[in-house]
Amino acid sequence: CLKTVVEAKLGLATTVIMLEFGALLTIGFVLGLLAVCALFVLSSLTPWKRRTRKQMLEPAFVYAPHTDNPTPFHRLLTEKNERPFATDAQLYLSVIIPAMNEEKRLPIMLNETLSYLSLRNHQNPDFTFEVIIVDDGSTDDTANTAGNYGRRHEGLVHVMKLDENRGKGGAVRAGVLHARGQLILFADADGATKFEDLEKLEKSMKRLCGGEIDETFPGIVVGSRAHLESESVATRSFFRTILMVGFHSLVWLFAVRSVKDTQCGFKLFTRGAAARIFPVLHVERWAFDVEILYLAEMWKLKVDEVAVIWHEVDGSKIVPVWSWLEMGRDLILIWFRYTVGIWKPEPIEN
């Protein structure tokens, strides 16, 4: 009788465990299904601008309001979407500077940038360069402020004025698609990164390319502030620190694991890498850096991260909390849309 009672209790316990396990599986399945449905709804409610290859090949002209014959920009992409993806370079370095309402901060950045680049060119005539300032639908005098530098540095500084605000990513892409350099660097208009640190990125790029710069090699070198993280945590409020840590955790979980600092606005591309990546980009606002590096990891491109000197500059266009929430949403959607096939890792055709 005792044996029968024990066996009955064991059987009952096993049944209860199996029922509980089955209930957990059911709950997990339902929650997972709800999460996927929520992501589909979020994706459908989050707009993104479709940019076709035909649009990317359309001619663009240097901003020159006082002339009837503006100078056309060069074109990065080849007519056909086949290798090689990029046209031949015409100089060594193109610097792309996205600028939206930057008439006050831009001159400080340009003075430092042009002094450094001109000195490099004086020391080595093979160091040829151009600076493309992309006015991203500014409502202040950014375009004319940049245009003054274009007149003083004719042939070296060009201004592209977008008719409407696209976002930082959209402005960077517009400039990159008309760059002439073997190497293409985009740098923030606030001048937060010491421009001389370009040499660190160049050194790393040469190493990736095998010793000498190869414009066809798919290489990317990103400036990084990760070494300043402990200091930045110390100077931020506890709430902002929590948001920062949360954002970095989401980046690692859903998108990029090979780079610690995805958001530093100082990134260097070979011409070949830029021609491969930028036509594919979908995100045009703050999280576009994450999509760049997500694609680079997906394609197994060579990426290196280099510490740069960086200091915070007043006047940031990022709205605390709200911009971070937008970036968090966008980076989750980057992972989701590529995973389920809403976005394809090749350029949108005509």
Side-chain angles (χ1 to χ4, degrees), residues 149-280:
Y149 282 86
R151 286 187 288 274
R152 293 203 299 267
H153 301 270
E154 188 173 355
L156 299 178
V157 178
H158 313 288
V159 181
M160 178 184 294
K161 184 171 175 60
L162 302 181
D163 295 332
E164 60 180 5
N165 177 263
R166 297 187 186 182
K168 181 182 175 182
V172 169
R173 175 164 62 181
V176 168
L177 291 178
H178 296 92
R180 294 185 290 157
Q182 297 178 37
L183 295 178
I184 301 174
L185 172 81
F186 76 75
D188 287 343
D190 60 5
T193 304
K194 187 176 181 182
F195 203 85
E196 292 178 6
D197 281 349
L198 168 64
E199 295 176 35
K200 298 179 182 178
L201 273 62
E202 285 179 281
K203 183 177 179 180
S204 175
M205 185 66 80
K206 288 180 179 178
R207 184 180 59 80
L208 291 180
C209 292
E212 294 295 333
I213 296 297
D214 178 0
E215 68 180 81
T216 65
F217 183 82
I220 306 170
V221 182
V222 302
S224 175
R225 303 159 298 179
H227 61 295
L228 302 173
E229 188 170 317
S230 59
E231 180 182 342
S232 66
V233 168
T235 56
R236 282 191 176 98
S237 68
F238 177 75
F239 179 65
R240 293 186 68 181
T241 297
I242 292 296
L243 287 174
M244 181 191 70
V245 172
F247 177 76
H248 288 320
S249 299
L250 286 176
V251 169
W252 185 89
L253 183 63
F254 287 102
V256 179
R257 299 189 177 184
S258 61
V259 173
K260 293 181 180 179
D261 182 9
T262 60
Q263 301 307 117
C264 181
F266 204 67
K267 293 182 173 64
L268 185 67
F269 303 79
T270 59
R271 190 170 185 79
R276 176 114 186 250
I277 288 177
F278 281 90
V280 177

Side-chain angles (χ1 to χ4, degrees), residues 116-127:
Y116 169 80
L117 295 174
S118 298
L119 179 61
R120 287 277 304 267
N121 175 253
H122 178 73
Q123 294 172 340
N124 178 12
D126 291 334
F127 185 88

